[in-house]
Amino acid sequence: MAVIKGIAGLEASIEINGERATEYDAPEDETTPTDLTRDHFFLPEQGPARWDEEGLPVVVKYIAAQPGALFRIRIRKTAEFQQHAHHISFSINLDGSINTSARHEVGHYLPEKATGDWDDYRERWSANDKDGNWQSLYLRFGALDVDGEANYSKEEVASQVALAKQLGVIRVRVDHQLRSSAPYRRPHGRPADHATVDKLGEKALKGRALDCKVALESRPTTAPITFKSFAADNRKRPFALFEFRYRSLDGLMKEGIVSRPSAQPEPEPVQEDKDGANPVHPVVIKPEEGHRVKRERTESESTNAAEFRDKYKTRRLESGRFEIDLTDD
């Protein structure tokens, strides 16, 4: 799970189809989003000098997305976490344009201060459709159509560049919260405005390998139980932010986040029969152990043997060997 240096006991992760996504470290020049400064965070318990030394309370990780797959964001708080308000909550921004409602600790409306472990996730939230009906919006990855041949005007390209800068990013903000009101059933909610980009020109991506997006899946539901909450910071700033940048696995390889697998060695070529139908593998026949292989004599060796027999008297023995008579006649 992703953790933030300087904030113990707080973790975040993304689960795709029920399985935790593998997290990859961002390059050194991408560890802090360029649009964030110290003033974007509410850190009453920390002096500015400490965070100037340790950096901002932000962590950036890459994950491999799967178009069509449902996903959810999980937050885990352990007893190591230092509580500085009544409880904490987390909310999510997706692709810069979709914002979920906040998820609060269990028991956030009770008088007692929330302490101990908390493990929760966000996979959907409720909103009204255009007819005022309640819908559950489930988080899902979708495919992004990238057109490398379309001719867009300068104005269209500029507009797409602005949209593309926010795509492929999931931000999870964590806030200190004061005690909430008692739960009640909400009569109506905000509109389910979740229009997303379906197609972009390749020039708008500026070299990034974006090939997927966040797509929401709507399912009918009933009015949810809700409450009124109050942020500990009057400017409603988070004290921590987790940023997950997603691409397909191929996109991560193109951007150099994940190494491509090494190439497998090519198989040795095989011979084919004269018809080219059945491969014929060359066979090497080795002599059996303990047996000698008969060698044919050369022409010169045969000539020398004949001359030897003419010069000396020889006689074949029963054993098969030759006896040589060296006595004078």
Side-chain angles (χ1 to χ4, degrees):
M1 300 181 79
V3 297
I4 297 175
K5 183 180 179 181
I7 303 180
L10 188 66
E11 304 170 342
S13 63
I14 291 184
E15 298 176 356
I16 302 175
N17 285 338
E19 298 290 335
R20 177 185 162 190
T22 301
E23 297 158 2
Y24 304 96
D25 292 335
E28 291 186 3
D29 59 344
E30 297 183 23
T31 54
T32 302
T34 56
D35 62 325
L36 298 176
T37 65
R38 172 65 177 78
D39 192 55
H40 284 87
F41 297 92
F42 175 57
L43 301 168
E45 72 284 1
Q46 306 289 355
R50 174 183 174 182
W51 287 106
D52 287 342
E53 294 175 0
E54 297 189 359
L56 299 178
V58 178
V59 65
V60 178
K61 296 289 184 180
Y62 278 84
I63 63 167
Q66 303 170 23
L70 293 169
F71 69 95
R72 64 187 186 183
I73 294 91
R74 181 177 291 277
I75 284 283
R76 181 169 179 261
K77 188 197 78 170
T78 67
E80 294 179 273
F81 179 77
Q82 284 188 305
Q83 202 86 29
H84 294 280
H86 183 267
H87 68 279
I88 66 172
S89 70
F90 72 94
S91 55
I92 307 158
N93 176 272
L94 308 119
D95 289 346
S97 60
I98 305 172
N99 293 288
T100 73
S101 55
R103 189 81 166 176
H104 293 249
E105 283 188 73
V106 175
H108 56 84
Y109 51 87
L110 299 176
E112 297 80 8
K113 184 178 179 180
T115 58
D117 293 354
W118 179 48
D119 190 349
D120 207 348
Y121 59 87
R122 170 71 79 184
E123 63 180 356
R124 62 179 176 85
W125 73 100
S126 300
N128 289 138
D129 61 16
K130 61 181 180 179
D131 297 322
N133 300 314
W134 283 101
Q135 299 287 325
S136 284
L137 306 179
Y138 285 80
L139 299 173
R140 181 173 60 83
F141 288 117
L144 178 66
D145 185 7
V146 178
D147 192 343
E149 299 181 358
N151 293 319
Y152 295 100
S153 65
K154 290 183 178 180
E155 292 76 14
E156 289 174 324
V157 171
S159 176
Q160 289 190 1
V161 168
L163 290 172
K165 284 182 179 179
Q166 303 182 80
L167 289 178
V169 178
I170 298 172
R171 281 186 170 179
V172 184
R173 57 174 288 166
V174 190
D175 295 68
H176 289 303
Q177 296 284 353
L178 302 178
R179 186 164 61 90
S180 307
S181 68
Y184 63 95
R185 193 169 293 279
R186 184 190 302 177
H188 57 81
R190 60 188 178 89
D193 182 14
H194 55 272
T196 58
V197 180
D198 294 319
K199 186 176 182 178
L200 285 176
E202 189 173 9
K203 291 182 179 179
L205 304 184
K206 299 294 184 180
R208 293 188 298 161
L210 288 173
D211 49 12
C212 42
K213 61 177 184 177
V214 171
L216 302 179
E217 183 178 309
S218 297
R219 303 177 190 177
T221 188
T222 57
I225 299 296
T226 189
F227 49 86
K228 293 180 180 180
S229 62
F230 305 93
D233 179 31
N234 57 9
R235 293 171 59 186
K236 297 182 179 180
R237 295 172 297 174
F239 70 87
L241 190 139
F242 298 87
E243 181 167 306
F244 296 94
R245 299 176 184 178
Y246 64 89
R247 311 281 190 270
S248 69
L249 184 58
D250 184 63
L252 293 178
M253 292 179 182
K254 289 179 180 178
E255 292 194 17
I257 304 299
V258 178
S259 300
R260 290 189 178 277
S262 58
Q264 297 295 325
E266 296 183 1
E268 295 183 3
V270 297
Q271 300 177 358
E272 295 182 351
D273 62 13
K274 61 182 180 179
D275 297 328
N278 300 314
V280 178
H281 297 271
V283 179
V284 178
I285 301 177
K286 296 182 180 180
E288 295 183 9
E289 187 177 356
H291 293 267
R292 299 178 60 187
V293 179
K294 184 177 180 181
R295 184 174 63 89
E296 298 292 336
R297 288 186 178 183
T298 64
E299 183 178 352
S300 60
E301 289 174 333
S302 300
T303 302
N304 292 338
E307 292 177 354
F308 183 87
R309 288 192 300 270
D310 292 342
K311 185 175 180 180
Y312 300 100
K313 294 180 181 180
T314 60
R315 182 170 61 89
R316 184 185 294 273
L317 304 177
E318 292 181 0
S319 63
R321 297 184 179 182
F322 284 94
E323 180 181 65
I324 303 173
D325 186 2
L326 299 179
T327 60
D328 295 332
D329 291 335

